[in-house]
Each structure stands twice: as C-alpha cells, then as structure tokens.
Amino acid sequence: MDWAFVFSQTLTQALGITAIIYCLAAIGLNLQFGYTGLLNFGVVAFVASGAYAIGVIVLTFELSLWLAIPVAMGVAVLLSLLLGIPTLRLRADYLAIVTIAASELLRLTVRTVLPDYLGGTQGLNGKIGQQFHDLNPLPADFESLPVLTWTRQDLWVVIVGWGLIALFSVLMLLLVRSPWGRVVKGIREDEDAVISLGKNTFAYKMQSLVVGGIIMAFGGILWAVAKQSVQPDTFVPDFTFFVYTILLLGGAARILGPIAGTIIFWFLLAGIGEFLGQAIQAGWIDFLKPTDVGAIRFILMGLGLMMLMIFRPQGIFGDKKELALDAR
Amino acid sequence: MPADHTEELGPQARATQAVLASVERRPGAAKPDPILIADNVKRQFGGLVAVDVEHVQIQRGSITALIGPNGAGKTTFFNLLTGFDAPNTGAWTFNTRQVAGTAPFKLARMGMVRTFQLTKALSRMTVMDNMLLGAKGQIGERFLSSFIAPLWKGQESTNRARAEALLARFNLAEKAGDFAGSLSGGQRKLLEMARALMSGPELVMLDEPMAGVNPALTQSLLQHIKAIREEGTTVLFVEHDMDMVHDISDWVIVMAQGQIIAEGPPDSVMKDQGVIDAYLGAHHDKQLTSTGEALTESPGGSA
C-alpha cells in the first residue's frame, strides 16, 4: 500500500479544479443562503448557464473567450432576474421550488433544444479555453509540483481559480461587513421587521441573488475553460446538494466557510476513494470490488455528515451559541 | 388620583389633552390637527369582515390607544394602515398625503413606523446591529457604495452614537454587543421600540407594547412612550391592559367586530355602556341559570 500516493492524490483533488468549481458555487450560495436566507436550490443552473454561455460563444459562434466571460455573467444576471422577479415577493419556500424546477428544466432544455447551437446530449466539446491556456506563464518544460500532481495546464487553472476564490472572498467580506450586509442579514432573520424599518427588501434580495449568481457562473466559466467540454448531464441536482453540504460543513454565513467546507469535503471524498482503491488492490479488503469504491465513498461520506450534524451542527467555523438562538 | 396624574404631564401632553377636550366623543370624530385620516377601510377574509372602519382621525402629537376585545380587528387595521396587508376598499392619508396602496417600506420612510405584536427582534444579530438597521438614508446600504467604507464610515459613527443614546434610555446600553436573541421577552419589546425610534418617525404604531412584559418593566416602558410624545412623535398603540391605557393615553378608540364603536378620552370611554358590553358581553353582570340563560333581575352595581 502506497500511503504517499494516497496522500498526494487526495490532496491534489482536495485543492484541484473540481474543488475550486464547487468552492466558487459555495461562495455564491453563502451570500444567497448563508447571509440573505434565500433558499436557492438551483445552484447548478447558475453554474451551467456560465459554462454553456462560454461554450456557445467560443465554439458555436467562434468568438473570443474574453467576450464570452461578460456574456456568461450577463446570462447569470438574466437567470437571477427570471427566477427572482416572480418569486422573491412570495414566501421563501417558493424560491426553493422554482429554482430546483428551473435547474432541471434548463438541463433538459439544453439537452434537446437547438442541438446545432447547444450540442444536444453530447454537449459542446473542443478548445473552449484555448485563449486562456495560451496565457499560461509556467515554463513549457514544467513537469509537476512535488506532491500536488497537476499537469502544467491544470496548475494554471488552479492558480487562477484560487485567485478568483480569494478575490470573491475579499469582496464578500467587504460586502457583509457593510450596512448593506446588515440589511441582508436582517432579511434572513425577519423580513417583515426589515420592511417596517423602511428597507426595500425585494431589491436587496434581488441584488443578493444576482451577485451570488454571478459568482456561481464563474464556477461554470472555470469548468468550461478547464475541462474544455460542457455536457448537459453533468449539471444534475446532485451538484446543488453537494454545494449545500459544503456550505453547511464549513459553516454558513462565515467568509471562510465555503473554502474550509470545500477542502474538507473533497479531501474526505477523495481520501476515502483512494484509500479503498489501494486497500482492495493490496488485498486488505476482499469483500469489495474496485468498482464499488465510487458508491462506498458516498455512503461513508453521508455517515460522516450525519455525525457532523449531530455533534457540530454549526459547521466547522459556525458559532454554536448563534445557532442555538434560532431554536427560540 | 386624576389630580396628581395631571401634575406629571409634560407640556405636549397638556396641550394635546386641552385640544382634545373639545372634540366630540363619538366614532369618527373630527380632530383639529389629524396626522392620519382613514375612510371606508374594509378588509374581508372570505365571509368574515375583519375590519370595516368608516372614518377615523388620529390627532397629531397625541397618544391614542386602540382597544377592543380579541378578534376586534385591531391588528388587522394596523396591518392595513402600514401597508402590510391590502384592504378590499378604503383610502387613508398620512400627513395629508394619500397613501393607500403604498408599499410598507415606503410608508416607513415617510415616518410611519410600526412594531409587531409578536416581537421581531433579529435574533442572530447584535442589539447594536438591530438598532443601526433602523437608521434612515444610509449610504452604506447601497450596493456599490457598500464596498467603499470611507463613503459611509462617518454616517455610521453618527448613527452609532444615536443608537447608543437610545439604548441607554431604554436600559439596554450594556446589551449592545449581545445577540438580540439572548434578550428576555420584555427587553426585546424595548429593543423593538428603540429600533423603531432610530428612524425618527412622526407616527409610531405600537402593537401590544406591554404584552408579556413584567410590571416593573411596564412602568419604564410607559415613561418611554410619554417621553416620545414630548419629543413631538405621535403614538398610536393597541393594548389590552386597561390600567395602562388609562394611565398614558390622551384619546381612546374602541373597536369591536371590525368597527369603531366609541371614541373619547379614557375616562369617558371606560364608562361607556357600549364599550363595557363589547368587552364583557351584554349580560356579564347577570347571574346565569342552570340552563345558561341570564336571569332577568340583576344584582346590580357590580359594573
């Protein structure tokens, strides 16, 4: 059994591109759900809209990636408005119902409608991120970092990805510590009270949905650029629930919550997978087949999350006293 | 008792009571200087008419109590006036401005601020943050300027100083850094009232400010309400506690089954037979027979 290999693979995945995509989505959700209390169950729709916007602009219309990025942001804004205008005046649960339905609707639509533009079930595959990868400053003969086994191309995405996470986290910090942040936190606690103090809560909820949506779309942008492929069936509701898991794991309404949650989530998920894979290969475990590992790791992960909810319901960074206030 | 009662009145209270002395004591009576005038406000829930107010005026600078038995429609009427609920018919003006159909947050900005029967302290925010949320016209509450702290830091510290002064008045100064959720029920009532005052409202509408508050705290709340009025704020409040209504209000409006059935200064309203009947039932002072019917002859005098 190669412990060093297990560790290096696990760490590479915990900090890798997929983790970064989830982290960006979780930062967006932290603003919407953690701070504002908006139950957006359509996280994946915002990520998908970002990814598809990039894919369509670059591959279908053969335009520049640098044009595609603002378009992707615009699509996320449009999606927020579309979902928010009819539902944000209603009770919180309506947004949840509408967003989860919309995310599936979006996936099934891009899968079947306009296959010449959207690629149908195959999605869009090609050199989506070429213009980005051309800017790679790493030396051409770059092999790999010690322990972290990214390729030259992946490392460039990882650097930019963590840069984006840092940027958005700082912006979030400024935002939630300002009077604006105070208003959205008030909305989370009791919207009517905030209305009675003369705040236009609808506008604040809309702003929160839009800004969170743009951050999520950056997850999708990175996805399209890094994987050079956008496929409809990767944008399933599971993604949304993993993002919620990450946020609750790290602690909602905490700036570092999404980052800690992402690293722990992917470290455990990848670690369990790598360990089981190696253990089966080494003959330590004979009642499992290597093909079982994918499912087993989610079972163990689920068990771990239940333990977390029982023994540390506030998440890693949460404040238990604060959580207890809710029960009153 | 009414004698020493008058001695502790401030100048604003004395002036208001003098003006109201000449107002007719009937439902819908015209006031010399009304801040709020409502006409034909009607709200139905299915077949039930919850509120059906033909005409009512609230005198500026007064403390007006809105009383009535449970289910009389007081809170619904509050919700309608403050825009939290929409009436089937009706119109009302605030400071002579037609405001029916105006969004509740806009009414609050115009200076008509309410509190709630079930206190809405923002639990997972500090007492100070609760207070600061009440301040009007904050630059830092706009999305783009929120990123640039120097734009709003000055205003923030002015607001903070005001909040500290208000908290001190409401005996909450040492709680400023605590979560609002950790306060007792009575302290939350105080916080909600103090928060409503942060915006410097012209009309404060308090929905059962004394419900669930212990007697010692009630006295200090009463003093606060009187003090607010002396500063020129009009107070309209819903309350069940008759002693309190009697103690602080200049004018009492009585609702029953959605309608206003009596108006007048507290002393005269509380002697009104219609009001007593509405509260206690027309046969409240008659003994019941074993079949549940009221005896015709009353022992008398108990009312």
Side-chain angles (χ1 to χ4, degrees):
Chain A
M1 177 118 172
D2 187 350
W3 286 104
F5 178 75
V6 170
F7 181 73
S8 101
Q9 283 303 300
T10 303
L11 203 62
T12 307
Q13 287 187 57
L15 302 174
I17 293 165
T18 310
I20 291 168
I21 292 165
Y22 277 84
C23 189
L24 286 168
I27 292 173
L29 185 65
N30 199 20
L31 180 62
Q32 295 176 345
F33 172 71
Y35 288 103
T36 320
L38 300 174
L39 267 180
N40 174 8
F41 277 126
V43 175
V44 73
F46 289 91
V47 177
S49 65
Y52 261 95
I54 298 287
V56 168
I57 298 286
V58 174
L59 289 184
T60 311
F61 293 107
E62 296 177 345
L63 294 170
S64 163
L65 177 66
W66 312 123
L67 173 75
I69 290 171
V71 171
M73 291 165 69
V75 172
V77 173
L78 209 66
L79 184 66
S80 311
L81 295 175
L82 209 63
L83 295 176
I85 288 172
T87 57
L88 287 182
R89 286 184 204 279
L90 305 172
R91 256 193 2 243
D93 16 2
Y94 289 93
L95 181 71
I97 296 164
V98 167
T99 46
I100 193 166
S103 77
E104 275 293 82
L105 205 71
L106 192 72
R107 178 175 71 86
L108 295 171
T109 306
V110 293
R111 205 169 185 277
T112 44
V113 174
L114 298 173
D116 293 343
Y117 291 89
L118 301 171
T121 50
Q122 294 302 307
L124 300 158
N125 305 286
K127 295 189 177 244
I128 298 176
Q130 195 54 51
Q131 278 173 285
F132 173 80
H133 295 298
D134 287 344
L135 295 180
N136 194 337
L138 298 165
D141 58 353
F142 177 84
E143 288 281 336
S144 159
L145 296 175
V147 185
L148 301 164
T149 56
W150 292 301
T151 62
R152 176 176 177 271
Q153 185 173 316
D154 283 356
L155 181 59
W156 173 224
V157 177
V158 167
I159 292 167
V160 173
W162 281 103
L164 282 173
I165 289 171
L167 173 73
F168 287 131
S169 295
V170 169
L171 287 178
M172 287 278 285
L173 189 69
L174 292 175
L175 202 51
V176 301
R177 288 203 174 161
S178 74
W180 187 91
R182 194 160 59 217
V183 177
V184 298
K185 279 182 256 180
I187 292 172
R188 176 191 70 195
E189 296 300 307
D190 193 319
E191 188 175 352
D192 277 348
V194 179
I195 292 174
S196 79
L197 297 171
K199 318 293 175 195
N200 183 357
T201 55
F202 176 77
Y204 282 98
K205 290 199 286 184
M206 203 68 220
Q207 286 166 5
S208 172
L209 195 66
V210 167
V211 174
I214 291 175
I215 299 174
M216 290 172 183
F218 266 95
I221 294 169
L222 204 74
W223 186 323
V225 165
K227 307 196 174 181
Q228 308 258 40
S229 142
V230 182
Q231 287 169 344
D233 290 336
T234 48
F235 300 108
V236 285
D238 301 26
F239 183 97
T240 300
F241 294 107
F242 287 151
V243 175
Y244 266 93
T245 306
I246 284 169
L247 187 58
L248 297 177
L249 194 64
R254 288 286 180 274
I255 291 295
L256 293 179
I259 298 173
T262 303
I263 294 175
I264 295 165
F265 181 87
W266 284 102
F267 191 87
L268 290 179
L269 197 64
I272 294 168
E274 293 294 337
F275 171 77
L276 285 178
Q278 286 281 312
I280 290 167
Q281 230 173 32
W284 292 5
I285 301 174
D286 50 8
F287 55 89
L288 289 174
K289 293 188 290 294
T291 46
D292 296 337
V293 171
I296 295 281
R297 60 185 189 147
F298 279 109
I299 293 171
L300 292 175
M301 191 73 195
L303 211 61
L305 286 170
M306 281 187 235
M307 306 290 261
L308 181 90
M309 285 298 116
I310 293 166
F311 295 108
R312 202 174 164 80
Q314 70 273 36
I316 304 296
F317 280 113
D319 180 346
K320 193 159 193 176
K321 268 193 301 195
E322 193 176 329
L323 197 79
L325 293 174
D326 224 14
R328 281 176 176 241
Chain B
M1 183 188 143
D4 17 309
H5 184 62
T6 1
E7 272 171 37
E8 64 184 62
L9 291 178
Q12 177 68 40
R14 268 196 295 266
T16 309
Q17 289 183 0
V19 167
L20 286 172
S22 58
V23 170
E24 283 180 273
R25 293 164 189 192
R26 60 166 179 85
K31 312 285 184 309
D33 181 17
I35 188 168
L36 187 83
I37 308 172
D39 279 299
N40 294 315
V41 178
K42 192 166 181 179
R43 177 71 168 105
Q44 284 178 287
F45 296 108
L48 176 82
V49 181
V51 168
D52 186 6
V53 170
E54 227 171 82
H55 185 78
V56 72
Q57 303 190 352
I58 309 295
Q59 170 70 14
R60 189 185 308 277
S62 69
I63 298 179
T64 302
L66 184 61
I67 65 169
N70 287 325
K74 305 177 298 287
T75 296
T76 309
F77 189 47
F78 251 46
N79 288 344
L80 294 171
L81 290 179
T82 51
F84 279 81
D85 190 8
N88 298 80
T89 64
W92 58 98
T93 62
F94 175 64
N95 274 334
T96 72
R97 210 165 140 188
Q98 192 55 246
V99 290
T102 306
F105 76 90
K106 285 186 187 154
L107 279 169
R109 281 185 196 172
M110 286 177 199
M112 183 167 156
V113 174
R114 72 168 297 181
T115 65
F116 295 86
Q117 189 175 349
L118 300 169
T119 34
K120 294 185 181 294
L122 306 165
S123 301
R124 288 181 295 173
M125 292 169 73
T126 63
V127 168
M128 180 50 87
D129 275 352
N130 265 269
M131 291 297 287
L132 291 172
L133 204 51
K136 272 203 287 199
Q138 297 188 50
I139 299 160
E141 286 183 354
R142 282 184 236 134
F143 179 73
L144 288 176
S145 41
S146 72
F147 290 105
I148 308 154
L151 286 179
W152 48 264
K153 273 285 190 244
Q155 196 188 31
E156 182 85 349
S157 53
T158 317
N159 287 340
R160 198 170 282 271
R162 264 182 45 123
E164 273 162 6
L166 270 170
L167 285 175
R169 237 175 81 180
F170 282 76
N171 305 327
L172 288 169
E174 62 279 22
K175 296 279 181 187
D178 295 1
F179 282 125
S182 69
L183 298 182
S184 74
Q187 286 172 325
R188 288 184 204 198
K189 288 270 180 194
L190 286 172
L191 171 61
E192 202 177 5
M193 205 186 292
R195 190 175 66 192
L197 294 178
M198 268 302 282
S199 63
E202 280 184 67
L203 171 63
V204 199
M205 300 173 67
L206 308 171
D207 198 347
E208 298 203 16
M210 302 301 154
V213 177
N214 77 53
L217 208 52
T218 304
Q219 281 311 313
S220 82
L221 263 172
L222 292 181
Q223 295 311 318
H224 292 317
I225 294 175
K226 287 180 186 167
I228 296 168
R229 186 259 304 273
E230 289 306 320
E231 286 154 21
T233 306
T234 310
V235 180
L236 176 65
F237 72 103
V238 169
E239 190 50 64
H240 279 299
D241 182 340
M242 285 303 151
D243 288 338
M244 176 204 160
V245 169
H246 193 264
D247 187 11
I248 67 163
S249 51
D250 308 317
W251 194 258
V252 178
I253 298 172
V254 188
M255 278 182 86
Q257 294 175 337
Q259 295 177 328
I260 292 177
I261 59 162
E263 264 192 55
D267 284 324
S268 77
V269 159
M270 283 173 195
K271 288 187 200 118
D272 186 309
Q273 194 56 43
V275 174
I276 296 166
D277 289 350
Y279 256 94
L280 304 169
H283 302 299
H284 73 280
D285 54 355
K286 301 190 178 76
Q287 285 183 343
L288 295 179
T289 63
S290 54
T291 54
E293 281 173 29
L295 291 166
T296 37
E297 65 270 40
S298 139
S302 63

